[in-house]
Amino acid sequence: MNHQDPTVLEINTARFNRMFFEECSEHLAEMERILVSLDDGEPDDEQLDAIFRAAHSIKGGAGMFGFQDMILVTHVLESLLDKMRNNEITFSPSMIDLFLEAGDVISMQLSGHRDGSEVNQEAVDLIRGKLQLVIEGGTAAVKSESAFLPAYVHQGNIVTDCNAPSADTTVHRYELTFAPDPDTFKRGVRLDNLLADLEELGMLTAHAQVSVPGDFSTFDPEGCITSWRLCLETSVGEADIREIFEFVADEDQLQVLDVTDGASATGENAEYGETAQCGLRIEEDSSAPAASADHPGTVTAGRRAYDKNGTTPAAYGRRAGDAESSIRVGVTKVDQLINQVGELVITQLMLSQTAAKLDPVLYENLHRSLLQLERNTRDLQQSVMSMRLVPIGIVFSRFPRLVRELAAKLGKQVELKTIGDMTELDKGLIEKITDPLTHLVRNCMDHGLETPDARIAAGKRPGGTITLRASQLGSRIVIDVIDDGAGLNRDKILKKAAERGIQASDSMIDEDVWHLIFSPGFSTADAITDISGRGVGMDVVLRNVQSMNGRVDISSDPGKGTRITISLPLTLAILDGLSVAVGKEKFIIPLNSIIESLQPTVENLKTVNGKHVVNIRGDYLPIIPLYELFNIDSLLKEPEKGVLILIDVDGEKAAVLVDALLDEHQVVIKSMETNYRKVDGTAGATILGDGRVALILDVNSLLQMRKQNMANS
């Protein structure tokens, strides 16, 4: 007999735990999204069902992985939601905060299991008490704040108010027939845990019937060949019993019969009805048929349906139906696949460059095959890259609750609007953009939007609006954070800058003044609060965005509001670029930044303060000589002898001087900092078809370098 390595079992368990943690986080996020969207309104049946499903799934998953502490909270939450679905308890707006608090506690417990962080047991006991009080006292309990401070005691798995009326303690006697799937054990189901859960409900007698196959040559040692007959004496209802089997058996595999006032319906074994003590009997019957859902007995249907159509999802871990359309794949595996496809692209470029030296007539078939390989490689690359793209709505969904809670704390009325939630962005950027956006939204709440009285005095409606808008422009993503508040105060910013010794003057244009708020330690707040005022946050925003090769711009209209725009690359892994030559070096310029290329005439060139500019249809644009920025020996230093590439970065234009245009490429970006060091003016590097390394230019940094050089000259 082969025994599995315990180390392998631990790794597998950890992997399954990670899957549960991810799913649980998604369920909690969905609950929060629905609750915050209610805005003190009443949920419709679909929303209530969705919240119930989320709680039910968390409870089932926690039970599957043995997280008993999470089961205790979600069980009470699920019970309350079920009573609301059955119209036994009326919804109250105060329940929104109660359910959000319950979600926070479950999230805290989840972090405890996932990260080993500390769990506040008092908070856990308190929320269970609050939920149980509402179950016992109905809507009236949730309306009283004092009702949320009960004296409660633990009774088994339920927290009960000491002063609450006693529950029904009638002992029921149930007979259960359970015929599990043959692949039950393959799905990791532990029947001993299931029997232990039943035993916690009361007095249990278990009787197992094993169907031994006649032909052992086809016998599957991992298959389940056991069916069960169980007798349970308990004070709980049938629904609680069925919940234990929820993620193990379908309805047709479990029969439950209440025989409290009558004889056993099966009548097969007199001992079956005796429950003086819990026991286990195994009967081997080679002639008996395999476990079947058609076992004799009357089925008492329990409530298992999730939706109004009566459809039920597959049990946890069971074979999925045709509707299953996605699988979970680790980010590391996707990154490995992207890197491998990137190497394939480089190899394809090398083959194409080598084949370009061969006679296209003599080697026609080879050239045709390489063209097909190029198309297939590009399609494969785009497909793989799309695997890392996720909707930015994942980030936007975190802010409704933040805005709701901050508005209550600040005494402001705020409406949050989101536009472009389905705009896709690289997952790596999604994770990095969350903190900057959080800082910006908090600043809008605290500094940007006025109090209701101040807004009314200014002729505005009392409630302010914060808008999060995402859109895709070429290969870049633009995120706007807009408020309709008081706008930035130019004089106040300049005064604070002078106090902190930051170089500033009244002659500065508005855009440069607004950017002063990104200086480290800069704050215009009159008082320090737990929300803002310490001068940390905005400099972090700028630093984080720039680390993603992004840019931050601010526009503000006094009395009308402020718009902060973040521009990011769609992905940090691939881009379409134009290769150019400067001396003996090659560079890649992102195509999305290029307007056009031209060779200027002497008449269109001018010199201003010792720097060349070019006249393009009436506009004089500065010329950025790459040979000068990167200290490269080049024979073409006069602009009229080289080629000018006009670039545009969020409205700011310039002309980049190069020796020659080479070719258009879709290149795989390699990190310079990881493999070498940070090089100013570059966004990374790539490997060309001839094996040489070419720097990928960051046109935004080029403009900043040019300004810095002018300031130093």
Side-chain angles (χ1 to χ4, degrees):
M1 180 180 294
N2 294 326
H3 296 281
Q4 285 184 298
D5 184 353
T7 304
V8 176
L9 290 176
E10 289 181 8
I11 294 174
N12 289 340
T13 301
R15 177 167 61 88
F16 290 130
N17 283 350
R18 285 196 300 270
M19 292 174 60
F20 166 70
F21 295 150
E22 292 177 7
E23 291 179 352
C24 187
S25 298
E26 291 174 0
H27 290 312
L28 289 171
E30 177 67 6
M31 283 178 56
E32 181 175 301
R33 183 191 66 79
I34 296 173
L35 290 168
V36 174
S37 68
L38 296 177
D39 195 22
D40 296 334
E42 183 173 351
D44 55 31
D45 292 343
E46 184 177 345
Q47 291 173 318
L48 194 56
D49 285 344
I51 299 173
F52 175 84
R53 282 197 301 270
H56 187 79
S57 298
I58 294 173
K59 175 186 171 183
M64 179 68 69
F65 293 100
F67 302 140
Q68 297 296 324
D69 55 336
M70 297 180 66
I71 295 177
L72 299 183
V73 177
T74 51
H75 175 77
V76 186
L77 175 61
E78 179 190 39
S79 299
L80 174 55
L81 289 166
D82 198 36
K83 286 183 176 292
M84 294 172 61
R85 294 168 75 212
N86 293 331
N87 297 319
E88 298 176 27
I89 295 179
T90 305
F91 176 82
S92 167
S94 303
M95 290 181 178
I96 296 178
D97 291 325
L98 178 62
F99 291 152
L100 287 173
E101 184 180 348
D104 289 340
V105 168
I106 297 171
S107 180
M108 175 180 62
Q109 292 176 313
L110 180 68
S111 297
H113 290 292
R114 181 183 57 203
D115 309 321
S117 57
E118 183 179 355
V119 176
N120 185 346
Q121 190 58 41
E122 291 184 3
V124 175
D125 293 339
L126 181 60
I127 192 60
R128 288 174 61 201
K130 291 179 180 182
L131 294 169
Q132 187 65 35
L133 276 180
V134 180
I135 293 175
E136 300 292 344
T139 307
V142 78
K143 293 181 178 179
S144 173
E145 186 67 26
S146 61
F148 283 170
L149 301 173
Y152 54 88
V153 295
H154 293 274
Q155 295 182 353
N157 290 344
I158 303 176
V159 178
T160 308
D161 183 7
C162 295
N163 302 317
S166 60
D168 180 16
T169 58
T170 302
V171 176
H172 294 264
R173 182 175 171 183
Y174 296 96
E175 290 187 0
L176 295 78
T177 302
F178 172 41
D181 262 352
D183 66 349
T184 296
F185 298 143
K186 296 179 182 179
R187 292 187 280 110
V189 176
R190 295 283 300 271
L191 293 184
D192 54 339
N193 291 341
L194 184 145
L195 294 175
D197 291 341
L198 287 173
E199 191 173 3
E200 289 183 1
L201 300 181
M203 194 72 69
L204 175 69
T205 298
H207 180 91
Q209 179 174 328
V210 180
S211 300
V212 181
D215 184 4
F216 279 93
S217 63
T218 59
F219 175 67
D220 183 0
E222 295 183 352
C224 179
I225 58 175
T226 308
S227 60
W228 298 84
R229 288 183 296 164
L230 309 166
C231 184
L232 177 65
E233 287 189 359
T234 178
S235 60
V236 304
E238 180 184 331
D240 292 318
I241 298 174
R242 286 187 173 274
E243 282 181 353
I244 293 178
F245 292 87
E246 189 73 52
F247 297 99
V248 179
D250 288 333
E251 271 190 80
D252 58 356
Q253 295 173 328
L254 176 67
Q255 301 173 7
V256 181
L257 181 64
D258 189 344
V259 294
T260 303
D261 299 323
S264 170
T266 62
E268 295 181 10
N269 194 329
E271 293 182 355
Y272 180 68
E274 297 174 2
T275 56
Q277 63 181 8
C278 295
L280 173 63
R281 295 177 176 82
I282 299 179
E283 171 189 331
E284 295 185 5
D285 183 5
S286 60
S287 62
S292 169
D294 298 327
H295 192 284
T298 304
V299 178
T300 303
R303 176 166 184 167
R304 190 166 185 270
Y306 285 168
D307 53 41
K308 303 176 183 65
N309 298 324
T311 59
T312 56
Y316 191 92
R318 298 183 64 82
R319 293 182 299 271
D322 294 337
E324 187 68 30
S325 60
S326 63
I327 60 174
R328 290 184 178 274
V329 179
V331 175
T332 302
K333 291 184 177 179
V334 176
D335 288 341
Q336 290 174 348
L337 182 59
I338 290 175
N339 288 333
Q340 290 166 357
V341 172
E343 295 300 324
L344 176 62
V345 171
I346 294 172
T347 303
Q348 179 265 318
L349 289 174
M350 290 180 177
L351 290 173
S352 297
Q353 187 162 330
T354 301
K357 302 175 183 178
L358 302 177
D359 191 325
V361 177
L362 296 177
Y363 298 94
E364 180 182 358
N365 291 336
L366 175 61
H367 281 275
R368 185 184 303 111
S369 299
L370 287 175
L371 286 175
Q372 183 63 39
L373 175 62
E374 181 180 357
R375 287 192 293 267
N376 292 342
T377 304
R378 180 179 287 266
D379 291 342
L380 176 61
Q381 191 176 41
Q382 292 175 347
S383 298
V384 171
M385 287 307 307
S386 67
M387 295 168 60
R388 280 212 39 121
L389 298 180
V390 292
I392 199 171
I394 294 176
V395 177
F396 285 178
S397 64
R398 304 184 184 189
F399 293 110
R401 184 176 181 185
L402 173 66
V403 170
R404 183 176 186 268
E405 293 177 348
L406 284 181
K409 181 179 291 188
L410 296 170
K412 297 179 180 180
Q413 300 176 18
V414 184
E415 177 187 6
L416 177 67
K417 294 182 179 180
T418 59
I419 303 172
D421 298 56
M422 297 309 296
T423 302
E424 291 186 320
L425 189 62
D426 187 279
K427 181 175 176 62
L429 295 176
I430 284 283
E431 296 168 352
K432 295 179 181 179
I433 196 60
T434 301
D435 284 344
L437 287 180
T438 300
H439 283 301
L440 294 179
V441 171
R442 290 170 68 92
N443 272 14
C444 288
M445 295 285 297
D446 196 19
H447 298 303
L449 296 178
E450 314 95 327
T451 61
D453 292 341
R455 290 181 64 88
I456 293 174
K460 302 180 179 179
R461 57 186 182 86
T465 302
I466 295 177
T467 303
L468 297 177
R469 182 170 63 194
S471 58
Q472 181 176 346
L473 297 178
S475 60
R476 297 188 72 82
I477 296 296
V478 178
I479 305 171
D480 292 314
V481 182
I482 308 168
D483 69 69
D484 62 349
L488 296 177
N489 188 320
R490 177 186 171 95
D491 294 336
K492 191 172 185 179
I493 292 175
L494 289 173
K495 180 180 178 181
K496 286 288 183 179
E499 292 175 358
R500 296 195 58 83
I502 300 174
Q503 186 175 0
S505 66
D506 292 336
S507 61
M508 295 173 62
I509 62 175
D510 286 345
E511 182 180 357
D512 292 338
V513 173
W514 306 149
H515 271 270
L516 291 175
I517 68 175
F518 292 116
S519 303
F522 190 92
S523 176
T524 58
D526 296 323
I528 296 177
T529 68
D530 58 347
I531 298 176
S532 62
R534 292 178 174 83
V536 294
M538 295 303 286
D539 62 319
V540 175
V541 170
L542 182 62
R543 188 164 59 249
N544 287 356
V545 172
Q546 288 179 342
S547 70
M548 295 180 279
N549 298 325
R551 173 174 175 165
V552 183
D553 289 307
I554 303 178
S555 62
S556 183
D557 193 352
K560 294 184 179 180
T562 302
R563 177 199 303 266
I564 300 178
T565 301
I566 298 176
S567 176
L568 298 170
L570 178 64
T571 175
L572 296 179
I574 186 174
L575 62 78
D576 290 314
L578 177 68
S579 60
V580 299
V582 179
K584 297 181 180 180
E585 302 297 330
K586 293 182 180 180
F587 295 89
I588 303 293
I589 301 178
L591 278 181
N592 65 295
S593 302
I594 298 176
I595 304 175
E596 61 179 308
S597 60
L598 54 90
Q599 189 166 19
T601 61
V602 177
E603 292 77 16
N604 290 332
L605 296 172
K606 303 291 182 182
T607 301
V608 178
N609 296 329
K611 300 294 182 180
H612 290 293
V613 296
V614 58
N615 182 0
I616 304 296
R617 291 179 286 276
D619 291 333
Y620 282 92
L621 304 181
I623 295 177
I624 304 176
L626 287 186
Y627 75 87
E628 185 177 298
L629 286 182
F630 292 99
N631 194 24
I632 298 173
D633 289 332
S634 175
L635 298 177
L636 301 178
K637 296 185 178 181
E638 294 80 11
E640 64 272 15
K641 296 181 180 180
V643 178
L644 294 181
I645 300 176
L646 306 188
I647 59 173
D648 184 345
V649 182
D650 298 327
E652 187 173 358
K653 299 179 181 179
V656 178
L657 175 61
V658 300
D659 293 358
L661 306 181
L662 298 179
D663 199 359
E664 181 181 332
H665 299 287
Q666 189 174 52
V667 298
V668 179
I669 303 175
K670 303 290 185 179
S671 172
M672 286 291 294
E673 294 182 64
T674 301
N675 298 286
Y676 177 53
R677 63 176 176 82
K678 175 66 177 176
V679 178
D680 292 337
T682 67
T686 190
I687 302 175
L688 299 176
D690 57 3
R692 296 176 59 187
V693 174
L695 297 179
I696 301 173
L697 298 179
D698 180 356
V699 292
N700 182 32
S701 295
L702 293 181
L703 293 175
Q704 300 304 319
M705 291 173 66
R706 173 190 165 273
K707 292 179 181 179
Q708 186 66 33
N709 288 346
M710 291 185 64
N712 295 335
S713 61

